[in-house]
Amino acid sequence: MDSGPAAPVEVPRATPPADPRRALPKTDAVLSLPLMGELAATWGRPLVTEKVRRVLDEARCAVGGGGTVPSPDEIAGKVADALATLDAGRVRSVINATGVVLHTNLGRAPLSEAARAAVNAAAGYSTVEFDLATGGRGKRGATVNTLLRELSGAPGALAVNNAAAALFLALGAFARDREVIVSRGELVEIGGEFRIPSIMEAAGARLVEVGSTNRTHLADYVNAITDRTAMILVVHPSNYRIEGFTAAPPLAALVAAAREAGLPLLHDLGSGLLTGDLGDEPTLRESMAAGADLTVFSGDKLFGGPQAGIVVGDETMVQRLSRHPIARAVRIDKLTLAALEATLLSHLGGRRGELPVWRMLDAPIEELTRRADRLARSIGRRARVRDGAGMVGGGSLPVERLPSVLVELSCGPSGESAVMGALRAGETPVIVRAERGRVLVDLRTVAPEEDDVLEKALLAALP
Ligand SMILES: *Cc1c(COP(=O)(O)O)cnc(C)c1O
């Protein structure tokens, strides 16, 4: 930087060309523009000032490289663009018209009305760790844990931040510096950096792989048991399917083998389906009936609630988990606790239909057809109703398809990506799929009360 004091006695022999970078607007000149004032009202002056400095730095480089000198308004425009990008990245409510019910990128399970109301109520001061009857301290999650015990029939229950955290906690508490036996067919990667071998390493447990990718037998497990073994881990390979020449011992047989060796069996169930009516997705009831010592599942997959990791099983083991230091680090927050409580009440009351995930999965084809017909009529000749398929998503039932009814839209010469971009840019962003140049709208994942907003968004986005 040329910020040192000038030497007044020296007279330059020739006049050097004026540095064009000196012609750049000053930071204060840009900040005094009305647009910057408006942005500062939202984002605060320090952030806006920082952006102005950054854009000016970039302009300085560009001008140094022979570019033209931008005006204050041009600099302000770039600052506004940068802040608009930041704004677009904020968490926004969207319409999911993809037909993927548990869309991980869109937040998996949408919460029920009751769960949303509970979150709102818990958002202020609330009885997270306060006992209204005694006026003394209460235990965080006590009611949720009781409801979980009621629902599962297990004597112990604990809810933590997510299923990955629940596994980390269980491995850290029971298998640190010891061995955990897992089938080679179950070394799952869920996505988002979650891999069974990595979480095991992070928890300080040693992975002992047994069997082969497609076939693992009871004897493989039994032969791997040594005095260093801490537990047997069974993981539901939720997001892929190994088909053909395959074998895995029944869970109950593995539980018996573990018990004979005096070892616990931990079952990572994945999606938290309670009872069996969804393909061959394993259920909590089966896991309990087989006698797993601990069963772990996610709160925001087929359980239909908030992001949470639920552990149910042996009372003493769950107590040890809840007292472990890791439990404090992965504890559930008050908003999740409230939403989970409401979700549990829907399950316990036999009102699964209150949960959006189940309303969507159970939506009758006739109802979807009626809504699709109505939408297609309002859009006109660019729309056509046809049969199609969605997915459960969230790593559940990876190969099965959910029969559905689609509104297929022809997008004109600008193509499907232009229409999809316009849909994402709308006031209520709409997320859709495309196939062979056409946009597909699957109403299964759209709540009926969103139909009107969806219709307006589609009409606005189509050329
Ligand atoms: C989804 C899943 C997890 C991770 O659950 P999160 O709640 O996202 O942490 C772990 N194991 C299995 C088998 C899963 O399907």
Side-chain angles (χ1 to χ4, degrees), residues 325-396:
I326 294 176
R328 176 61 182 80
V330 298
R331 81 174 180 190
I332 199 162
D333 74 283
K334 64 180 179 180
L335 304 181
T336 308
L337 210 47
L340 192 54
E341 217 171 74
T343 307
L344 275 159
L345 287 176
S346 293
H347 281 299
L348 275 166
R351 301 182 309 273
R352 190 173 78 171
E354 289 175 355
L355 306 173
V357 164
W358 285 99
R359 223 168 30 225
M360 290 167 184
L361 289 173
D362 291 338
I365 284 286
E366 305 78 62
E367 184 202 313
L368 296 176
T369 309
R370 195 173 40 73
R371 290 170 58 204
D373 283 341
R374 209 187 125 227
L375 181 62
R377 261 200 312 280
S378 338
I379 292 172
R381 53 175 182 77
R382 284 163 299 180
R384 167 175 101 87
V385 175
R386 72 160 172 88
D387 289 343
M391 288 187 88
V392 176
S396 314

Side-chain angles (χ1 to χ4, degrees), residues 108 161-165 167 188 190 194 196 235-239 268-271 297-301 307-309 394-395:
R108 289 194 186 150
N161 179 59
N162 59 9
L167 273 178
V188 182
I190 300 297
F194 177 92
I196 292 290
V235 185
H236 173 49
S238 19
N239 52 6
D268 178 5
L269 187 62
S271 75
F297 59 92
S298 286
D300 55 354
K301 295 183 183 170
Q307 177 192 304

Side-chain angles (χ1 to χ4, degrees), residues 35-395:
L35 174 59
M36 296 296 98
E38 282 163 34
L39 290 173
T42 304
W43 298 96
R45 191 152 280 276
L47 178 55
V48 174
T49 307
E50 208 279 316
K51 291 281 175 210
V52 170
R53 291 219 171 96
R54 187 168 296 181
V55 171
L56 280 171
D57 281 346
E58 282 162 14
R60 194 165 294 118
C61 285
V63 169
T68 52
V69 175
S71 70
D73 281 328
E74 282 168 324
I75 297 291
K78 288 203 166 142
V79 169
D81 288 348
L83 290 172
T85 305
L86 195 59
D87 194 42
R90 291 171 65 193
V91 175
R92 305 252 310 266
S93 167
V94 300
I95 291 180
N96 172 13
T98 63
V100 181
V101 177
L102 297 169
H103 199 304
T104 298
N105 301 350
L106 301 181
R108 289 194 186 150
L111 293 183
S112 67
E113 287 305 320
R116 289 169 198 232
V119 167
N120 199 37
Y125 291 124
S126 53
T127 56
V128 185
E129 292 184 7
F130 187 83
D131 186 340
L132 281 177
T134 63
R137 183 170 177 179
K139 194 168 165 295
R140 178 182 292 251
T143 302
V144 151
N145 296 346
T146 304
L147 297 177
L148 278 170
R149 288 197 298 268
E150 291 296 332
L151 188 67
S152 62
L158 175 69
V160 295
N161 179 59
N162 59 9
L167 273 178
F168 183 68
L169 171 61
L171 291 166
F174 297 116
R176 194 172 172 76
D177 297 327
R178 296 178 64 205
E179 294 178 357
V180 177
I181 303 175
V182 190
S183 161
R184 289 201 169 87
E186 298 177 355
L187 297 172
V188 182
E189 172 175 319
I190 300 297
E193 305 300 308
F194 177 92
R195 287 173 165 183
I196 292 290
S198 327
I199 207 145
M200 206 166 283
E201 195 185 320
R206 277 197 298 278
L207 168 65
V208 175
E209 302 175 25
V210 295
S212 63
T213 306
N214 55 328
R215 290 171 72 82
T216 303
H217 307 286
L218 187 58
D220 295 323
Y221 286 93
V222 173
N223 293 340
I225 295 175
T226 69
D227 53 7
R228 295 179 304 276
T229 309
M231 63 163 67
I232 292 180
L233 173 62
V234 175
V235 185
H236 173 49
S238 19
N239 52 6
Y240 63 96
R241 193 67 47 84
I242 297 175
E243 282 179 347
F245 189 54
T246 64
L251 188 60
L254 270 177
V255 169
R259 219 154 265 173
E260 200 169 307
L263 296 172
L265 183 138
L266 170 58
H267 185 198
D268 178 5
L269 187 62
S271 75
L273 179 64
L274 295 179
T275 53
D277 47 7
L278 204 61
D280 54 6
E281 185 71 19
T283 67
L284 180 59
R285 178 177 288 174
E286 288 159 10
S287 185
M288 294 284 102
D293 297 281
L294 291 176
T295 304
V296 166
F297 59 92
S298 286
D300 55 354
K301 295 183 183 170
L302 290 173
F303 195 71
Q307 177 192 304
I310 292 158
V311 193
V312 295
D314 180 79
E315 192 174 6
T316 320
M317 288 182 80
V318 171
Q319 259 168 23
R320 269 186 63 189
L321 287 183
S322 59
R323 294 202 197 100
H324 197 277
I326 294 176
R328 176 61 182 80
V330 298
R331 81 174 180 190
I332 199 162
D333 74 283
K334 64 180 179 180
L335 304 181
T336 308
L337 210 47
L340 192 54
E341 217 171 74
T343 307
L344 275 159
L345 287 176
S346 293
H347 281 299
L348 275 166
R351 301 182 309 273
R352 190 173 78 171
E354 289 175 355
L355 306 173
V357 164
W358 285 99
R359 223 168 30 225
M360 290 167 184
L361 289 173
D362 291 338
I365 284 286
E366 305 78 62
E367 184 202 313
L368 296 176
T369 309
R370 195 173 40 73
R371 290 170 58 204
D373 283 341
R374 209 187 125 227
L375 181 62
R377 261 200 312 280
S378 338
I379 292 172
R381 53 175 182 77
R382 284 163 299 180
R384 167 175 101 87
V385 175
R386 72 160 172 88
D387 289 343
M391 288 187 88
V392 176

